[in-house]
Structures are given as structure tokens and as C-alpha cells.
């Protein structure tokens, strides 16, 4: 019988992947606070003093909220925060119904 090895990734709560997930979650929470059943998706890349976020969403998120959220969650000195937002694609939104 062949033995299979299973591995899993385990990172601390301050790891950039975890921080990025928390930032994306906060942006999704914001959308739900502004609209019932919003359509939104976010990608967050963070590290080395930079944060780049793209969002496809049915809710407009103010840039100051995004920047405050990144600084609050990252607990790091992030000076370069870039947020690009585009409207949710109507065809994809219809597929989610």
C-alpha cells in the first residue's frame, strides 16, 4: 500500500497572507453594511511597506476607508496603499443569483 504524505501551511496571525485575508474580509463587511446582498470580490497583496488592492464590487468604497482599514489591520507602517475599484460585471452578478 502506498503511503501518502499530507502537508498543510501554518502561518502566524501576522503573516502577510493572513493580514491580506483580514483586509479583504473587512472590505466585504463594509459592502454588506451598505447594501443588502452586495456583489463583491477583493484581491489584496501586502508586504514590505506596500499594499495593492483590486476590487470588483457593486458598492463604492471610499479611498480613506480603505487606507484606514489597511493601517488598522496591518499594524505596520504601510505608506504605499493603492486601491483600484471597478463595478461588478453585470453578467457575473446575474450568475450569482
Amino acid at each position: 500500500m502506498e503511503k501518502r504524505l499530507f502537508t498543510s501551511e501554518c502561518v502566524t496571525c501576522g503573516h502577510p497572507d493572513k493580514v491580506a485575508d483580514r483586509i479583504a474580509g473587512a472590505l466585504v463587511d463594509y459592502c454588506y453594511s451598505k447594501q443588502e446582498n452586495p456583489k463583491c470580490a477583493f484581491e489584496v497583496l501586502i508586504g514590505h511597506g506596500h499594499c495593492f488592492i483590486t476590487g470588483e464590487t457593486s458598492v463604492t468604497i471610499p479611498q480613506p476607508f480603505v487606507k484606514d482599514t489597511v493601517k488598522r489591520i496591518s499594524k505596520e507602517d504601510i505608506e504605499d496603499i493603492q486601491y483600484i475599484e471597478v463595478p461588478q460585471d453585470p453578467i457575473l452578478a446575474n450568475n450569482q443569483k
Side-chain angles (χ1 to χ4, degrees), residues 28 53-54:
V28 170
I53 304 168
T54 60

Side-chain angles (χ1 to χ4, degrees), residues 27-83:
L27 298 177
V28 170
D29 289 346
Y30 177 87
C31 291
Y32 273 91
S33 76
K34 300 297 178 186
Q35 186 179 84
E36 186 177 326
N37 197 24
K39 307 296 185 225
C40 55
F42 299 96
E43 292 294 332
V44 180
L45 175 63
I46 190 167
H48 308 287
H50 303 276
C51 183
F52 183 75
I53 304 168
T54 60
E56 185 172 326
T57 175
S58 59
V59 176
T60 299
I61 303 177
Q63 291 279 345
F65 178 84
V66 174
K67 290 182 179 190
D68 289 345
T69 300
V70 169
K71 289 182 179 196
R72 176 178 51 83
I73 291 174
S74 70
K75 297 179 183 168
E76 229 182 274
D77 190 20
I78 306 290
E79 291 300 320
D80 180 26
I81 301 171
Q82 299 178 47
Y83 175 57

Side-chain angles (χ1 to χ4, degrees), residues 4-25:
R4 293 183 184 212
L5 298 176
F6 294 95
T7 61
S8 65
E9 180 183 37
C10 182
V11 296
T12 63
C13 61
H15 190 279
D17 287 346
K18 296 289 186 186
V19 173
D21 289 345
R22 289 182 58 215
I23 292 168

